[in-house]
């Protein structure tokens, strides 16, 4: 059996598992749902949910790749082709010729948005989706209506679509401006993050002080450093490089370490309680005495597991390693079995 093609450093979630990522619900308002065109458009248009349901629907199988390293292949989505929605009956675009970018805006507390170049969007042929896996979209997955943009990391697919805004200049979306997510978002090129904006001097100073509390240190380079007893409570360390780093007794409670590189790090007695460890790589790390309870582990890895199921670079885990069963359930089956075979202290609750 040949394994399905996956973009670099992605792993398949277990069958039927669909993690909820980011916001979990739209904002609560009583106004009926409408999807509105805005910005550089020739006409005002808005569609109620009934209007959308009455338009021609297309079913499409689309591979989903989350930036936190989990993928689900061939998910079934059904909805209206974006290209058709923004074209009138005579085949004329509803947007003006100067429109170059499209910003999708959500009905959510933070008016979450994400944007794409119009050209690229038309090539990718996304769906304004109303259904997934043969059922109406669940609320937590963007119901009643969300975008599904194939060929991009899933953060380009907005949940709870409310406004489609045509722009002459790009407007960075929420994750792209708040979390350093790459605006290109091509999973085949691994466009996950922009480079760290932290200067080398600032990084060196923080490392000397071993105090990262609540700081935004996206993409910090600390590989091979001596950082025992680091205080990193609530620090934002997405995509940070801690390979081979000594982090004995480090305090990462509540920190965001999504996609962090912790390969071969010394993490003995480190505290990760409630941390975001989605997509983090712990291969060959020493996790004896570490506390991973209530951490979010979607897409995290604790070993390099090849397509034949062989485990390499397994993290050191023993009875002194603490974790909760619910956290482990978020791992891929291969990673979970690997973790569970290491006899950690698993709190079943
Ligand atoms: N409105 C809104 N849309 C969003 C997000 C969000 O936080 N808010 N997160 C994005 C991210 S990062 C991902 S991976 C997908 C997750 O969709 P899911 O929760 O249905 O898996 O939604 C994207 N769309
Ligand atoms: Mo994501």
């Amino acid at each position: 059996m040949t394994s399905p093609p996956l973009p670099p450093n992605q792993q398949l979630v277990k069958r039927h598992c669909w993690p909820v990522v980011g916001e979990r619900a739209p904002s609560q308002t009583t106004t009926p749902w409408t999807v509105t065109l805005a910005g550089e458009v020739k006409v005002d248009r808005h569609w109620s949910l009934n209007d959308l349901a009455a338009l021609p629907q297309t079913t499409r199988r689309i591979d989903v790749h989350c930036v936190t390293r989990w993928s689900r292949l061939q998910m079934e989505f059904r909805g209206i082709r974006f290209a058709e929605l923004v074209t009138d009956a005579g085949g004329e675009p509803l947007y003006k010729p100067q429109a170059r970018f499209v910003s999708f805006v959500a009905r959510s507390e933070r008016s979450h948005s994400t944007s794409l170049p119009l050209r690229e969007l038309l090539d990718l042929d996304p769906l304004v989706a109303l259904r997934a896996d043969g059922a109406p979209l669940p609320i937590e997955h963007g119901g009643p209506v969300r975008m599904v943009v194939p060929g991009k990391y899933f953060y380009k697919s907005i949940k709870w679509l409310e406004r489609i805004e045509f722009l002459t200049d790009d407007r960075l979306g929420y994750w792209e401006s708040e979390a350093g997510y790459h605006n290109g978002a091509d999973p085949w090129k691994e466009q996950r993050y922009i480079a760290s904006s932290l200067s080398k001097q600032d990084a060196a100073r923080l490392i000397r002080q071993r105090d990262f509390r609540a700081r935004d240190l996206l993409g910090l380079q600390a590989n091979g450093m001596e950082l025992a007893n680091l205080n990193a409570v609530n620090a934002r360390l997405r995509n940070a490089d801690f390979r081979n780093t000594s982090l004995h007794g480090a305090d990462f409670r509540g920190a965001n370490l999504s996609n962090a590189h912790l390969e071969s790090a010394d993490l003995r007695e480190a505290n990760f309680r409630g941390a975001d460890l989605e997509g983090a790589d712990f291969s060959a790390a020493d996790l004896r005495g570490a506390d991973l309870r209530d951490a979010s582990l979607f897409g995290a890895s604790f070993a390099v597991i090849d397509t034949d199921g062989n485990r390499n670079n397994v993290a050191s885990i023993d009875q002194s390693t603490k974790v909760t069963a619910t956290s482990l359930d978020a791992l891929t089956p291969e990673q979970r079995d690997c973790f569970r075979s290491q006899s950690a202290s698993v709190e079943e609750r």
Side-chain angles (χ1 to χ4, degrees):
M1 198 183 88
T2 56
S3 38
L6 272 181
N9 297 308
Q10 291 294 116
Q11 30 183 1
L12 287 178
V13 287
K14 63 177 176 246
R15 266 174 75 79
H16 307 303
C17 166
W18 186 2
V20 178
V21 183
E23 296 176 292
R24 307 186 77 84
S27 44
Q28 301 298 318
T29 53
T30 46
T31 38
W33 205 288
T34 50
V35 173
T36 305
L37 290 191
E40 303 292 333
V41 285
K42 297 179 194 160
V43 286
D44 286 328
R45 275 289 163 91
H46 55 263
W47 295 270
S48 68
L49 291 176
N50 284 337
D51 295 337
L52 290 175
L55 293 170
Q57 309 287 310
T58 303
T59 301
R60 180 118 19 98
R61 294 198 166 265
I62 293 172
D63 295 344
V64 169
H65 307 297
C66 177
V67 70
T68 54
R69 300 184 197 277
W70 60 266
S71 293
R72 240 188 99 173
L73 301 180
Q74 301 290 292
M75 279 191 76
E76 190 188 290
F77 290 101
R78 186 168 169 79
I80 306 109
R81 289 179 55 213
F82 169 77
E84 280 180 19
L85 190 69
V86 299
T87 305
D88 71 15
E92 284 298 310
L94 296 174
Y95 47 85
K96 292 183 182 166
Q98 62 265 35
R100 292 278 177 282
F101 296 90
V102 181
S103 177
F104 298 97
V105 185
R107 180 187 275 204
S108 76
E109 288 301 324
R110 61 186 185 211
S111 295
H112 190 100
S113 74
T114 193
S115 70
L116 283 144
L118 177 58
R119 258 287 112 238
E120 227 180 322
L121 263 178
L122 296 173
D123 287 345
L124 296 167
D125 196 8
L127 281 186
V128 178
L130 301 168
R131 301 173 69 83
D133 295 335
L137 267 173
I139 296 276
E140 67 275 21
H141 289 301
V145 52
R146 78 175 294 164
M147 290 301 301
V148 179
V149 182
K152 294 284 177 184
Y153 284 124
F154 210 27
Y155 57 86
K156 289 293 181 184
S157 295
I158 202 151
K159 306 195 270 193
W160 316 297
L161 176 67
E162 185 164 62
R163 202 164 73 243
I164 302 173
E165 212 171 323
F166 289 88
L167 304 168
T168 51
D169 299 299
D170 200 4
R171 182 202 297 147
L172 278 189
Y174 180 86
W175 293 119
E176 293 86 338
S177 54
E178 293 294 311
Y181 284 15
H182 197 297
N183 200 27
D186 183 339
W188 300 96
K189 295 185 185 153
E190 272 210 277
Q191 294 175 327
R192 294 181 202 269
Y193 293 97
I194 53 169
S196 170
S197 57
L198 192 68
S199 74
K200 280 217 161 69
Q201 292 88 321
D202 286 347
R205 183 175 46 81
L206 288 163
I207 286 168
R208 261 196 319 278
Q209 295 168 346
R210 295 192 196 183
D211 186 358
F212 291 3
R213 266 175 302 174
R215 285 181 185 274
D216 190 351
L217 303 170
L218 167 78
L220 177 79
Q221 295 288 320
N223 48 314
M225 303 259 173
E226 172 53 59
L227 282 169
N229 300 315
L230 171 73
N231 184 341
V233 174
N234 295 329
R236 297 166 71 185
L237 289 157
R238 288 188 177 86
N239 202 34
D241 184 356
F242 288 117
R243 285 171 301 163
N244 297 300
T245 302
S246 165
L247 288 160
H248 191 162
D251 193 347
F252 287 108
R253 276 173 300 160
N256 188 324
L257 285 151
S258 52
N259 289 322
H261 289 275
L262 293 146
E263 294 98 309
S264 303
D266 178 359
L267 299 170
R268 286 172 297 154
E269 315 297 332
N271 193 340
F272 292 99
R273 282 204 81 160
D276 183 341
L277 302 175
E278 295 176 10
D281 193 341
F282 290 93
S283 306
D286 193 342
L287 282 164
R288 289 172 296 169
D291 190 346
L292 299 160
R293 283 177 293 173
D294 303 316
S296 178
L297 290 176
F298 275 115
S301 26
F302 295 89
V304 179
I305 302 175
D306 66 24
T307 44
D308 295 325
N310 300 310
R311 296 170 185 165
N312 291 298
N313 299 347
V314 182
S316 298
I317 292 163
D318 68 11
Q319 278 103 346
S320 63
T321 310
K322 295 189 232 25
V323 70
T324 20
T326 44
S327 294
L328 289 185
D329 281 343
L331 295 174
T332 63
E334 296 78 17
Q335 291 290 341
R336 193 191 45 211
D337 293 349
C338 174
F339 199 111
R340 284 204 173 257
S341 70
Q342 306 297 309
S343 69
S345 297
V346 183
E347 257 182 39
E348 309 282 346
R349 63 171 164 84

